Amino acid sequence: MFYPMYRMWPVLLLGGILVSGVRHVSGIDIYTPNELEAVNGTNVKLKCTFTSTHPVSLQSVIVTWNFRGINSGSDESVFYYHEVAYPPLSGRFKGHAVWSGDIVRRDASITLHEVPPTFNGTYICQVRNRPDVHGSNGEIVLRVVDKVSLSEIGILAAAAGGACGVILILLCIVMAVKFYRRKGMDNDIDLHPREQEWKDPTVCSPEEAVHLTVVTKEKEVDSSDDEESEPSSGDDEEEEGNEDADDDDDDDDDDLGDDDDD
């Protein structure tokens, strides 16, 4: 029993959709920046990452980097990686291209050292993870310049940084002014009581108070000395009494002499 062709067209169409969907799901996705800019003589990293639906291993992944110069229709090999790195042995990229990726982390990047102006062009990153070999390639347009040109993002970042710097400077100025004002007020408070003490004659200074205390102690010491010297006055009276007695004896002797003369 044969089916007419018009009845088979829907089946074939559905099968084609399913097959294309399976290929898309099983394809490998590669991510690279669209453009890069590097200063002449410096190093630049060509970033290339990928995702795959199949397990990734060093044995299954193959990485190929090619270069297409400006106004050039042919591609030139830049780098090859399969289990180990294979840098170029000849051509313009000899000694300039080095491996800087990590297959386990799904990174297939390379670095170009000391790029000259002849490196201007498009770099193509191709990754295959067998049996996952379908997918588009990543392309990076590299421009080698003498000076780095500021992009819009760079200008915005510089403007934001400048604004933040101005704000910080203003805050520092305000804090410094407040600090010096507070310090001046503290100095005024310290000087004000001293001025009152100078103007009021009834208030004595700490130095005078100490002097008065010292004088009082000296007086107490003098009084104690006087008290200790008082007993010695009795000795003086005894001496005076003895002197008076001697004088009386002399007088008696004189009187006896006068009687004998009579």
Side-chain angles (χ1 to χ4, degrees):
M1 184 178 181
F2 297 97
Y3 291 95
M5 288 296 296
Y6 69 88
R7 292 183 179 181
M8 297 182 62
W9 279 113
V11 177
L12 295 175
L13 181 61
L14 181 61
I17 294 173
L18 291 175
V19 170
S20 61
V22 171
R23 288 182 178 178
H24 177 73
V25 171
S26 63
I28 191 168
D29 295 325
I30 300 175
Y31 306 94
T32 58
N34 294 328
E35 295 181 357
L36 282 178
E37 191 175 85
V39 178
N40 185 13
T42 61
N43 302 337
V44 59
K45 183 177 182 179
L46 304 182
K47 187 72 175 179
C48 178
T49 58
F50 64 93
T51 59
S52 178
T53 57
H54 290 274
V56 175
S57 65
L58 297 177
Q59 293 76 22
S60 62
V61 175
I62 298 175
V63 178
T64 304
W65 280 89
N66 294 319
F67 170 74
R68 184 183 303 123
I70 300 175
N71 299 325
S72 176
S74 60
D75 295 346
E76 180 180 349
S77 178
V78 178
F79 206 90
Y80 181 81
Y81 183 94
H82 183 213
E83 297 186 13
V84 294
Y86 295 93
L89 300 177
S90 61
R92 75 179 78 188
F93 296 103
K94 180 181 179 181
H96 291 277
V98 296
W99 177 253
S100 57
D102 189 346
I103 296 299
V104 176
R105 296 183 179 181
R106 293 165 176 77
D107 187 355
S109 305
I110 63 172
T111 299
L112 300 179
H113 288 179
E114 300 177 357
V115 292
T118 55
F119 283 14
N120 280 308
T122 303
Y123 292 82
I124 304 165
C125 177
Q126 184 182 40
V127 182
R128 299 293 181 261
N129 182 32
R130 296 174 299 184
D132 190 359
V133 295
H134 301 285
S136 60
N137 301 326
E139 295 186 358
I140 305 174
V141 177
L142 177 64
R143 292 194 302 269
V144 180
V145 297
D146 293 332
K147 294 182 180 180
V148 177
S149 60
L150 291 176
S151 62
E152 294 181 358
I153 297 176
I155 294 172
L156 291 175
C164 293
V166 172
I167 292 172
L168 290 175
I169 292 172
L170 292 177
L171 288 175
C172 292
I173 293 173
V174 172
M175 294 298 292
V177 171
K178 289 183 177 180
F179 173 77
Y180 284 110
R181 284 183 178 178
R182 184 177 297 175
K183 188 175 181 181
M185 292 176 64
D186 294 339
N187 293 333
D188 293 339
I189 293 172
D190 293 338
L191 293 174
H192 189 64
R194 294 183 180 180
E195 292 178 355
Q196 289 183 349
E197 292 176 0
W198 178 264
K199 292 179 181 179
D200 191 354
T202 62
V203 178
C204 62
S205 64
E207 293 80 1
E208 292 175 351
V210 173
H211 178 68
L212 290 174
T213 303
V214 173
V215 172
T216 303
K217 289 182 179 179
E218 290 177 356
K219 288 182 178 180
E220 293 177 358
V221 172
D222 294 339
S223 62
S224 63
D225 293 339
D226 294 339
E227 292 176 356
E228 291 177 357
S229 63
E230 285 179 1
S232 64
S233 62
D235 296 336
D236 294 339
E237 290 178 356
E238 291 178 358
E239 291 177 359
E240 290 177 358
N242 294 329
E243 290 177 357
D244 292 338
D246 294 336
D247 292 336
D248 293 336
D249 293 337
D250 293 337
D251 292 338
D252 293 337
D253 293 337
D254 292 337
D255 292 337
L256 290 175
D258 292 335
D259 293 335
D260 292 336
D261 291 335
D262 294 335

